[in-house]
Amino acid sequence: MEFSFSSPLLYIVYFLLFFLVRYLLKPKSNKKLPPGPRTLPIIGNLHQLMGPLPHRTLKELSDRHGPLMHVKMGERSAIIVSNARMAKIVLHNHGLAVADRSVNTVASIMTYNSLGVTFAQYGDYLTKLRQIYTLELLSPKKVRSFYGCFEEELDVFVESIKSSVGQPMVMYEKCSKYLYATICRTIFGSVCKEREKMIKIVKKTSLLSGTPLRLEDLFPSMSVFARFSKTLKQLRGLLQEMDDILEDIITEREKTTEISTESKDDEDMLSVLLRHKWHNPSGAKFRITNADIKAIIFELILAATLSVADVAEWAMVEILRDPKSLKKVYEEVREVCKEKKKVTGHDVEKLEFMRLCLKESTRIHPAAPLLVPRECREDFEVDGYTVPKGAWVLTNCWAVQMDPEVWPEPEKFDPERYIRNPMDFYGSSFELIPFGTGRRGCPGILYGVTNAELMLAAMFYHFDWEIADGKKPEEIDMTEDFGAGCIMKYPLKLVPHLAKN
């Protein structure tokens, strides 16, 4: 057999030799790393992590090797956190040491090279943005100021379901349309004329970024080959389309509207961001730029639509599968909203049992079963083991929330467990962290949860539900699929019937 210098097989041989030499010449570390499965040369533990549901695969490995586990992912070391005690030690006690994000290739493209809250590195910039998020963009007061907007779009949502009465509908699609409408209105203050185009871009982006870790992320020495990736080229093209739309919106707003120097109760999110760009009210060392604003807006749209739709769908499934909970939700919603034409944000605040159902659903089905990876800024020790600088820190929040030592019958949907053991999911209880915790906890929890609660309340108030295709609730296919988050592999199809309130 003859080889030419362009032979694909010869390239493979070159690569294998390259990595083998690197592996053999790499100096051995004397650090005592956490226990973990045996690694192979070059690929590490990748052969053990190739399953379709990495959170379940990692839990199986952690059950054998411990709640603080070391795995080798190609050239990268990763520390896996899998119970509440370790989550508290690593994410809270050593929170500053793991405050940085691990930024992969896809995330870097989608966030304008790590702008925005999710992937910004720890420092003054992140502190400034989190302050804007928690005090102005997504504070409890601000979310309540959006109730009117939410309720108007909820009317559209309900009418769209009424058009499907007696016919099968895909719940995820209906919820997504409502969520796109609300986030666009709360960001821009009105119906965005480019909304449909933006929605298409977000959907395409979600599909392309469904596999967040790529070869060049696992083998940084191969990053040069990322420039030839068709997927990354498509992502850059989509981001450029979104960039053009947002730049036009920002420019038009600055031309036609006077940017206020003071906050107002009715200002939209774009107005808040432009005020910080032009007037820097907090006196930060730097001013927000258009690139920051665009990254934040894109981040908000992605988070407020995709993950919240997943949360609502899983909650609906679990409630429908539990006759006792279903009966209690129907009764509670219809009692609180009795004789009203529609559900309001203030009504949702009174729906205690339905909110417990949502909390329990996020325990079993967190939107991101593996929290966004962090990167260790410095060595530190846990129980005699070293978490090394530069390692990825992956928190398997699904494993944390399915720990039988904390949660009796963890697979069982039991909303009443929180009556017996009150626990919030805002990050202070390390046994329940579906939205993260500490310095990198999600600042948009209240906004997202409120929208999920509104959708569910409206659905249970206005309609009675049955499963499409004549299936019984217990016959719903609960198979998971893993992409940007954990979703239902087969979207939930329901048949609505007008409620007889």
Side-chain angles (χ1 to χ4, degrees), residues 389-404:
K389 179 180 179 180
W392 287 339
V393 176
L394 280 171
T395 303
N396 189 345
C397 85
W398 179 78
V400 170
Q401 296 172 179
M402 299 298 283
D403 185 349

Side-chain angles (χ1 to χ4, degrees), residues 216-230:
E216 59 269 16
D217 299 317
L218 302 172
F219 297 94
S221 56
M222 294 181 65
S223 59
V224 65
F225 297 100
R227 69 181 65 180
F228 305 111
S229 167
K230 182 179 178 181

